[in-house]
Amino acid sequence: MAVWAAISAALATGIGLALVALLAPPERWAGGRVLRLALALPFGIGVTSAVFFWSLITGISHLAIEAVLVVGLLVGWRMRPPAPGSSAPGGSGPAGSGETLLRHLFLLLAAADAAVFAWWSARFPSGGWDGWAIWNQRARFLYEAGDSWRSAFSPALRWSHTDYPLLVPATVARAWRDLGCETTLVPVLLAAGFAVAVAALLVASLGALRGRAHALAAGALLLATPAFIRYAASQYADVALSYFILATIVLQCLAGGSPAPERWLALAGIAAGLAAWTKSEGLLWVVAAVAAQALILIVATDRKTRLKRIGAFLAGACPFLLTVSYFRRWVVVSWYFLGQNGRPQIGENLRDVHRYRIVTEAFAGQMWRFGSPLLSPVIFLAGYLLLSGIGVAGRHRPGLAAAGLALSLTAAGYYAIYMLTPEDPRWLLETSLDRLCLQLWPGVLFTAALGAGAIGRPDKA
Amino acid sequence: MAGDSRDWRALALAGLFLVATASGIAGLLVSLGAENTFTGGHDMAADAVRRYAPMRHLLLSRGIREIGYTSAARTVDLYRGGAFFRAQYALTPEVVWPNIDREYVVGDSISPDALERLKLQVVEDFGDRLLLLRRR
């Protein structure tokens, strides 16, 4: 079984690396390899989780499908036409004293977060409430129920959001299947992996696009958000979703400065598709990201370029959107959001002024309550922007505008969901708003740092 | 003047990030305390897996794949369904219904009065206030 587990891990890693090698133009900047790794490993996990789902449907071994896939990707990589290399500026040069302080603070926070994650995972290896009640429970069904795996979606389990997609539980079940036993170490390592990937992608991408000082500042603000590490250690899928939202934004911004933007946009589409395969909110993210991208391209490019770029994005997202569609059409038998307390009373809720007040107050309250039981990191982000000012380089403007618009549209979508749900909005806001904000938080930090003015020594424009 | 302004901003940014770091670490420690208060320092799901293990073994060996659940009422109030959710997690791959409309029913900390009222009889007592029940 150890051999199968090793092969399984190697295939997931290989698929991620081959996918990024095939699509991403060769990098010519410092930290490019870290960025590739931070993209490849979660992408490999996402793709193999979808393959595992299809193997349950078809009965074909997931390892066989993955082996074919990795060979196909490697052949495609060897045969692809050469692309001009990206020339994103690197963060080279001597560090100023401000940058040194930021690096020390970043490392201190990383050590504190790692210690808390380890302590938490040792104490609560089954995860927090949603971790075991939703995600690990679904993984146990997929692993233990054998041919009866569809019983995981029985109407009896409607309370556990059986309509949620399967990236996290399928990854856990796949690893248990290949290990030959159920161990809490798998979801713990998966949660740790996604937390590290979020931080690594944030810092590596900003290092490439904006310079080290801003990269470390944004990284420090992420790691100084206690909710980030708390939800990661609780094994909630929100951290994985926050990764794919951040990856979509980063890749769209990398496309902005690249001579081969379609390749980056295809990867951005994959990231968005994997967001939809992680949590239901990910579908909203896909719609918001496509709408924002289309709107910016209408302003900035001609029709042919627009179609090519949107087409590349959708081509990347398509396999995962089809997987989600199949899952929702043929596997899920009940929807919690629409089914628990009857149909949403859309007209009645939209006319309810009291409801607007409750939801608006909760959203506004996140400005000082989000992410920490003490001082919200939003306050520190505001201070950082106030002190550094705004300084957007011309080539980052389209990407930054698309990111800001997509994040705003998604937040507006969350607001609409709270307005329309047939559930008690107070209860729902209390139990979920913090997590929904966390899904967007790394993307917000990236967007803010990319648009911030110079700090420390003159940085990359 | 421009140099003074840059120095002032750099100093303020350094102070800001020092406070953010201190606040982040202190917030982590406060979060740990809050989680411990909520769970009593236990891994609730792992505790449930241990508690339900003998019942799960019995159900799987008898080929029973669906079961009801009660602790007092005919249906579980899902807004206060913590014990029921833990039962489902621990009994997986059994499907646990939040009512007593199945032939077999999990009796979790149920009183003799409730057993009588709901017309349920005991099939097996696993101790720790956990019963396998059957409809009369």
Side-chain angles (χ1 to χ4, degrees):
Chain A
M1 282 303 174
V3 174
W4 288 117
I7 291 171
S8 165
L11 281 171
T13 311
I15 286 173
L17 287 170
L19 195 62
V20 173
L22 174 68
L23 290 172
E27 78 283 351
R28 287 179 190 158
W29 66 84
R33 285 193 182 154
V34 178
L35 183 61
R36 275 171 184 265
L37 268 180
L39 289 170
L41 297 182
F43 278 34
I45 285 170
V47 171
T48 50
S49 72
V51 169
F52 184 75
F53 169 71
W54 285 109
S55 81
L56 290 174
I57 299 287
T58 59
I60 302 170
S61 157
H62 65 277
L63 294 178
I65 304 174
E66 287 161 13
V68 170
L69 197 58
V70 82
V71 169
L73 287 169
L74 287 172
V75 169
W77 173 56
R78 294 296 299 170
M79 291 175 64
R80 72 171 190 175
S86 282
S87 54
S92 55
S97 60
E99 194 179 302
T100 306
L101 174 71
L102 281 171
R103 182 180 297 118
H104 288 145
L105 294 179
F106 177 81
L107 292 174
L108 176 66
L109 282 161
D113 284 0
V116 167
F117 185 97
W119 182 89
W120 207 306
S121 299
R123 200 80 189 264
F124 309 108
S126 309
W129 193 282
D130 283 11
W132 59 260
I134 297 176
W135 306 108
N136 289 334
Q137 184 203 172
R138 196 89 73 247
R140 293 189 85 198
F141 265 108
L142 297 180
Y143 170 62
E144 292 188 18
D147 292 341
S148 310
W149 62 271
R150 282 174 191 264
S151 58
F153 309 96
S154 160
L157 294 153
R158 194 170 54 180
W159 54 269
S160 70
H161 298 275
T162 46
D163 57 313
Y164 276 1
L166 299 178
L167 186 142
V168 169
T171 300
V172 173
R174 173 183 176 273
W176 285 342
R177 174 84 57 94
D178 296 333
L179 278 168
C181 66
E182 185 186 320
T183 162
T184 50
L185 201 59
V186 169
V188 167
L189 287 176
L190 183 66
F194 269 112
V196 170
V198 173
L201 181 62
L202 182 67
V203 173
S205 58
L206 281 168
L209 292 167
R210 199 66 184 88
R212 278 196 301 245
H214 284 293
L216 290 166
L221 285 178
L222 175 74
L223 298 182
T225 306
F228 174 68
I229 218 64
R230 183 158 54 89
Y231 287 128
S234 297
Q235 300 168 24
Y236 284 25
D238 302 274
V239 174
L241 179 57
S242 80
Y243 170 85
F244 289 115
I245 289 176
L246 173 67
T248 312
I249 294 173
V250 165
L251 290 160
Q252 282 179 329
C253 287
L254 284 168
S258 170
E262 287 80 16
R263 289 187 173 188
W264 289 116
L265 286 171
L267 277 173
I270 292 173
L274 289 172
W277 179 233
T278 306
K279 272 198 95 181
S280 298
E281 297 93 305
L283 274 176
L284 176 60
W285 171 250
V286 174
V287 174
V290 171
Q293 183 79 14
L295 212 67
I296 299 305
L297 288 174
I298 284 171
V299 178
T301 59
D302 60 88
R303 188 161 175 271
K304 194 179 161 197
T305 311
R306 200 157 58 232
L307 286 176
K308 259 174 77 178
R309 293 191 183 178
I310 296 286
F313 186 93
L314 289 175
C318 195
F320 306 101
L321 295 180
L322 287 174
T323 304
V324 173
S325 303
Y326 183 93
F327 168 71
R328 285 181 180 263
R329 175 69 183 84
W330 299 107
V331 177
V332 174
V333 291
S334 59
W335 295 49
Y336 182 86
F337 176 67
L338 297 175
Q340 181 70 8
N341 286 335
R343 290 178 174 281
Q345 298 149 316
I346 294 174
E348 200 173 302
N349 286 357
L350 287 177
R351 286 191 299 273
D352 186 349
V353 179
H354 184 58
R355 206 177 174 94
Y356 279 106
R357 214 190 74 193
I358 291 170
V359 179
T360 307
E361 277 179 7
F363 269 69
Q366 286 295 300
M367 296 295 287
W368 57 89
R369 275 202 295 269
F370 164 73
S372 173
L374 300 175
L375 286 171
S376 169
V378 177
I379 297 167
F380 297 113
L381 177 63
Y384 161 53
L385 287 177
L386 208 66
L387 289 167
S388 64
I390 304 293
V392 188
R395 67 197 194 92
H396 294 325
R397 278 188 190 140
L400 201 61
L405 191 56
L407 289 167
S408 305
L409 286 172
T410 308
Y414 291 167
Y415 186 97
I417 289 168
Y418 286 114
M419 282 303 299
L420 299 178
T421 176
E423 304 288 343
D424 172 10
R426 275 196 206 85
W427 172 79
L428 207 58
L429 286 160
E430 202 177 298
T431 54
S432 63
L433 184 57
D434 202 39
R435 284 186 291 113
L436 262 57
C437 291
L438 184 75
Q439 295 167 5
L440 306 181
W441 182 235
V444 168
L445 286 172
F446 174 85
T447 310
L450 193 62
I455 58 173
R457 72 189 165 78
D459 48 17
K460 307 298 163 192
Chain B
M1 282 304 285
D4 285 351
S5 163
R6 267 203 300 275
D7 289 349
W8 177 86
R9 280 198 307 148
L11 208 62
L13 271 168
L16 179 85
F17 277 95
L18 278 169
V19 177
T21 302
S23 169
I25 292 172
L28 273 176
L29 298 175
V30 173
S31 297
L32 287 182
E35 185 70 14
N36 268 327
T37 312
F38 179 62
T39 62
H42 293 282
D43 185 328
M44 294 186 291
D47 289 350
V49 168
R50 273 190 293 276
R51 182 173 177 235
Y52 280 93
M55 180 185 277
R56 181 174 179 271
H57 180 73
L58 181 83
L59 294 172
L60 290 175
S61 66
R62 288 191 183 180
I64 300 167
R65 299 307 294 261
E66 299 210 348
I67 191 167
Y69 176 95
T70 184
S71 57
R74 273 186 182 282
T75 54
V76 176
D77 175 1
L78 292 179
Y79 284 105
R80 296 182 183 81
F84 165 70
F85 301 149
R86 287 193 288 277
Q88 173 60 79
Y89 177 79
L91 289 171
T92 304
E94 298 289 328
V95 172
V96 185
W97 288 81
N99 54 46
I100 58 166
D101 299 341
R102 305 285 129 177
E103 184 182 357
Y104 290 95
V105 177
V106 175
D108 184 2
S109 309
I110 189 169
S111 69
D113 288 351
L115 275 180
E116 194 56 40
R117 181 167 42 82
L118 298 172
K119 296 186 172 54
L120 295 165
Q121 65 184 34
V122 177
V123 176
E124 185 115 10
D125 185 344
F126 295 95
D128 200 11
R129 297 174 63 76
L130 191 59
L131 304 170
L132 177 62
L133 308 170
R134 192 170 191 172
R135 295 174 73 181
R136 280 206 293 255

